[in-house]
Each structure stands twice: as structure tokens, then as C-alpha cells.
């Protein structure tokens, strides 16, 4: 019996005026997802335990069935996805190339957390020059593609934890309340200020750098036999690398979302034939939320239903369970994450149910049935033992 999980990253949202007061899930036409929901068990699932970071790392660790409390920050996971050197004594910090608006670093606001998805060929030579001019010694800045960089602080584990506000959570806000000029954080904000000054002279969309996701080496363990993940993000690449979980990647950059989904579909069908436990992660809905594009997010939901889900369901070919969930809320009016329980459905091809509603945030709440990610994973195993 195949055990399949489909995660739509950040698809859960709140009502938006651009969608007549509906969420992207509520506004979207999703006939295939709706039909599946009516034959499934629905409710909400808590993917982020209380006190842990609200974001994709913790949520996907939970949904994969790994222990989210092993999480030690995001940057080193992405570094693992790039196969950068891993040293348990070092500190790893994610650095975003960003677009600021304002007259100085201290008075700026973040206009784009990704410098409008700056092209690699534009950013790479500038970051290499930045690394030589501003960084050095104990600080090693490594370019990772598009707007992403990793800062490795040699023997910096002693500084952990170092708290920063993620850039995508403060879009449009003054950065002044988040700047720290004293303590262990001061040196990092000093480097951000020097990076800002350096980038003012460059004619590129990025005029600054923002650090976040400080991390040290985690220990992600679990049974990975017969399992595979399909993803397209550095974060998921890193989680699977550290866990020893096979990962089939699909690159999104440089083509239409529908073209990407068609390749993802082909790979997912192939994975179902080869593996027993398949975890499919789709990132687009989260990215569009961070770019404050609710209409485009809604259209992405429709494309996932039309291009991916319709034919995927036709080609599974044997008994299976399918869990569909958002990993967390991502609000397309602010770009911030939310950690409340997200909508889920659990479908068992040998035990179809009857329920009303659609796969939406409010339908999930209306079921008044909330479980943990571990309990959702256990449903798959229980269904398999009952066959």
C-alpha cells in the first residue's frame, strides 16, 4: 500500500480583499481536490509545536515524521542541501539579498525579501566582490544562488542561539526595531550595515543584505527505508541530505509554473512505482505569499489541481493513502508566517468516507478535529497494517 503526502507550502492563508474577502484556497476552482476531500477525513493538523520556529523547516520535519525538536536553525540545513562543508563547531547564518527603501540602513524598510528574485548571473559577481571587501577572517560568505547566501562563522557555535527576524516576516516594516547594536548580535548588524554601504554603488536590484536563520548542526534521524521526497528548495534538499532520505529534485527557476508541474507530475508518478512512502512538496504558493501576490497564489492553487493532482490521482494505480496539507500559514497580505493548525485531508482508497466541504482553512476548522503531524503520519501506518 502506497503512503503519499502532498504538502502545498504556505497555501493556508486568511481572507484577502483582492479575492473578494476570500482566501486563495476558497477562491480557487479546485474540482479534483474538492472531490478528494469529500471522500476523505478532514480537519486541521498542528505542524509546529508550541515554542518552535514558525516556518517550513519545523513544519516539514514534523510532516515527514522526524522529531522537530532536533531543529537547530535553518541556515545549516540549506548549507547541507548545497553540500557545503559541515563543521559542528561553526555557526551558519542565512543571508538574503534584499531590496530596501529609505535614506539609510537604519531608516530602511524591506521592500522585497528576495531583491525581486534577483537572477544568479546578476548577483553572483557582486556577492563575490562583497565577500572579499566586507567579509573575511572568521566570516566566510558563500553565494548560494539567486538571493540566497550563507555566512559561516568559524568556531561560532558558542554564539548560538542568535536571534534575527526573517526578512519575509517584516516586508514593508521599518527595520529599526529589529537592529541590535549591543551584545553578540551587534557584529552581525555591523556587517549588514557595511554590506548596505557596499551595495549602494552597484546597479542591481539588491541594495542590502539581511541575516536570519542562525543555526548549528542538527541531528535528524528516522527510518528512511522505502521512502523518497520530491522537492525543489534548498531547505528540503538539506533536510533530506542530513536525514539520508532520497530526494528527487525539480528546478522551478526560469520556466512557467505549469511546465514545472508537468515535470513534477512525471517524477511523482515514477516515484510511486519505485517507492512505498512518497513525500511531494510544492513551494510556489509560499513564494507568492511572500511576494504579496494573492491572485497569483490563487492561480497557482488552480494549476496544482488542474496540472498535477488530476493526472497524479489517475496514475497511482494501486491501494494508497494520501495526506494533503499546508505546512503552515503564509499571509499574502503581509508575507508573514502563521503557526496555527493548518487544513488537512486524509484519504484511504480502501476506506472512502463521506464529508461535506472543501479543502479550505474554514472547512478544516469547522470539522473541530485537530491532530498533530505525528498523528497524521501514524494514520498512514495504521491504514497499511489494516489491509
Amino acid at each position: 500500500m502506497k503512503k503519499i503526502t502532498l504538502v502545498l507550502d504556505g497555501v493556508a492563508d486568511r481572507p484577502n480583499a483582492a479575492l473578494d474577502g476570500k482566501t486563495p484556497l476558497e477562491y480557487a476552482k479546485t474540482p479534483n481536490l474538492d472531490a478528494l476531500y469529500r471522500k476523505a477525513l478532514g480537519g486541521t493538523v498542528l505542524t509546529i509545536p508550541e515554542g518552535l520556529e514558525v516556518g517550513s523547516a519545523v513544519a516539514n520535519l514534523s510532516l515527514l515524521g522526524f522529531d522537530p525538536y532536533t531543529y537547530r536553525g535553518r541556515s545549516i540545513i540549506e548549507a547541507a542541501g548545497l553540500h557545503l562543508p559541515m563543521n559542528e563547531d561553526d555557526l551558519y547564518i542565512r543571508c538574503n539579498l534584499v531590496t530596501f527603501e529609505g535614506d539609510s540602513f537604519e531608516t530602511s524598510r524591506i521592500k522585497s525579501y528576495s531583491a525581486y528574485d534577483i537572477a544568479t548571473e546578476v548577483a553572483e559577481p557582486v556577492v563575490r566582490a562583497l565577500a572579499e571587501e566586507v567579509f573575511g577572517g572568521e566570516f566566510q560568505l558563500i553565494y548560494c544562488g539567486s538571493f540566497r547566501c550563507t555566512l559561516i562563522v568559524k568556531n561560532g557555535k558558542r554564539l548560538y542561539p542568535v536571534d534575527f527576524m526573517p526578512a519575509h516576516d517584516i516586508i514593508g516594516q521599518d527595520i529599526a526595531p529589529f537592529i541590535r547594536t549591543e551584545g553578540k548580535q551587534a557584529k552581525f548588524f555591523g556587517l549588514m550595515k557595511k554590506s548596505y554601504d557596499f551595495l549602494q554603488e552597484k546597479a542591481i536590484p539588491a541594495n542590502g543584505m539581511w541575516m536570519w536563520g542562525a543555526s548549528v548542526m542538527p541531528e535528524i534521524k528516522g527510518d528512511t527505508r522505502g521512502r523518497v521526497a520530491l522537492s525543489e528548495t534548498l531547505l528540503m534538499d538539506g533536510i533530506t541530505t542530513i536525514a539520508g532520505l532520497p530526494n528527487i529534485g525539480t528546478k522551478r527557476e526560469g520556466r512557467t509554473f505549469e511546465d514545472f508541474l508537468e515535470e513534477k507530475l512525471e517524477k511523482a508518478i515514477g516515484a510511486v512505482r519505485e517507492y512505498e512512502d512518497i513525500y511531494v512538496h510544492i513551494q510556489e504558493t509560499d513564494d507568492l505569499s511572500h511576494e504579496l501576490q494573492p491572485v497569483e497564489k490563487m492561480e497557482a492553487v488552480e494549476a496544482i489541481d488542474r496540472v498535477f493532482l488530476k493526472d497524479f490521482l489517475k496514475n497511482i494505480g494501486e491501494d494508497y493513502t494520501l495526506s494533503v496539507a499546508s505546512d503552515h500559514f503564509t499571509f499574502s497580505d503581509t508575507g508573514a508566517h502563521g503557526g496555527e493548525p493548518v487544513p488537512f485531508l486524509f484519504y484511504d482508497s480502501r476506506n472512502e468516507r463521506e464529508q461535506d466541504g472543501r479543502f479550505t482553512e474554514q472547512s478544516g476548522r469547522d470539522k473541530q478535529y485537530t491532530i498533530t503531524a505525528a498523528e497524521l503520519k501514524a494514520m498512514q501506518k495504521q491504514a497499511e497494517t489494516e489491509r
Side-chain angles (χ1 to χ4, degrees), residues 341-354:
V342 293
F344 84 90
L345 69 80
F346 177 78
Y347 172 77
D348 183 343
S349 65
R350 297 175 310 148
N351 184 24
E352 293 188 346
R353 302 167 182 257
E354 292 184 7

Side-chain angles (χ1 to χ4, degrees), residues 19 50 63 69 77 112 151 204 215-216 235 249 260:
L19 299 172
E50 185 176 357
L63 288 167
Y69 289 95
I77 296 178
S112 172
L151 178 64
I204 63 172
S215 58
V216 294
L235 178 69
F260 161 83

Side-chain angles (χ1 to χ4, degrees), residues 310-376:
K310 179 181 179 181
D311 286 338
F312 182 62
L313 294 174
K314 291 179 180 178
N315 283 278
I316 296 175
E318 59 181 270
D319 291 335
Y320 66 96
T321 62
L322 172 59
S323 303
V324 181
S326 182
D327 56 346
H328 52 69
F329 277 75
T330 309
F331 304 120
S332 53
D333 55 353
T334 65
H337 288 162
E340 68 177 274
V342 293
F344 84 90
L345 69 80
F346 177 78
Y347 172 77
D348 183 343
S349 65
R350 297 175 310 148
N351 184 24
E352 293 188 346
R353 302 167 182 257
E354 292 184 7
Q355 68 170 354
D356 297 326
R358 302 177 61 221
F359 183 74
T360 67
E361 300 84 356
Q362 193 57 51
S363 277
R365 296 186 193 105
D366 289 345
K367 300 302 178 186
Q368 297 185 359
Y369 177 62
T370 299
I371 60 175
T372 66
E375 289 170 329
L376 180 58

Side-chain angles (χ1 to χ4, degrees), residues 7 44 57 60 209 216 241 257 387:
V7 177
T44 56
N60 280 280
M209 174 175 284
V216 294
T241 296
F257 184 48
R387 62 178 175 177

